[in-house]
Amino acid sequence: MSQYSIPLKYRRMENLHIVFWLFKDIGWCLFWKPLGIVMIFPTLIISIVIAYRTRQMASELFHNLAITFWISANSYWMISEFMQFDALQVYGWITYKHLALIPFFMGVFCLAYYYAIWQPRHPNEIETM
């Protein structure tokens, strides 16, 4: 049986990513706009780098893409609250906050595609999840 291991330099980046993500969400929770907004960039950039580095393993790639979409949705939602346009209506009952559902659903679709289509068609691939 094969075992997937994460190189140490990648693991360090993933751990640092978590720190940035936490500071972004702390900034959001405490309404510290500069902290929240500044932390979007390293959080999102590292998320994209992690997804890129794991592109050879479908399981890792699709899950990391879902995380990238999640961070994007969270970041947009946070900005909409900080700039106080989250409750404004776009159309009918749909507010600007609801637009965060677009990247959230993109993440869901990545995982749905992986589990419903890719994984059943590649039953002999090494899985990490």
Side-chain angles (χ1 to χ4, degrees), residues 37-94:
I37 292 171
V38 166
M39 287 295 110
I40 290 171
F41 299 102
T43 306
L44 194 53
I45 289 167
I46 291 175
S47 169
I48 293 166
V49 169
I50 290 169
Y52 179 78
R53 286 183 173 173
T54 60
R55 69 190 180 280
Q56 282 81 21
M57 298 190 76
S59 173
E60 290 293 307
L61 174 62
F62 286 109
H63 285 86
N64 286 323
L65 284 174
I67 289 170
T68 299
F69 287 126
W70 179 7
I71 293 167
S72 299
N74 246 224
S75 298
Y76 169 78
W77 186 356
M78 177 183 70
I79 289 169
S80 77
E81 286 186 2
F82 282 171
M83 304 305 168
Q84 299 178 342
F85 64 86
D86 58 317
L88 298 177
Q89 291 183 324
V90 175
Y91 182 79
W93 58 269
I94 300 170

Side-chain angles (χ1 to χ4, degrees), residues 15-44:
N15 290 342
L16 185 59
H17 177 248
I18 293 167
V19 172
F20 289 143
W21 196 342
L22 286 170
F23 275 110
K24 180 190 75 61
D25 283 353
I26 288 169
W28 185 8
C29 183
L30 296 177
F31 225 72
W32 293 345
K33 293 178 188 180
L35 178 64
I37 292 171
V38 166
M39 287 295 110
I40 290 171
F41 299 102
T43 306
L44 194 53

Side-chain angles (χ1 to χ4, degrees), residues 75-118:
S75 298
Y76 169 78
W77 186 356
M78 177 183 70
I79 289 169
S80 77
E81 286 186 2
F82 282 171
M83 304 305 168
Q84 299 178 342
F85 64 86
D86 58 317
L88 298 177
Q89 291 183 324
V90 175
Y91 182 79
W93 58 269
I94 300 170
T95 65
Y96 281 96
K97 179 173 63 175
H98 289 114
L99 296 180
L101 289 170
I102 295 168
F104 277 132
F105 281 130
M106 289 171 70
V108 169
F109 290 141
C110 281
L111 295 178
Y113 174 81
Y114 173 73
Y115 285 108
I117 297 170
W118 194 93

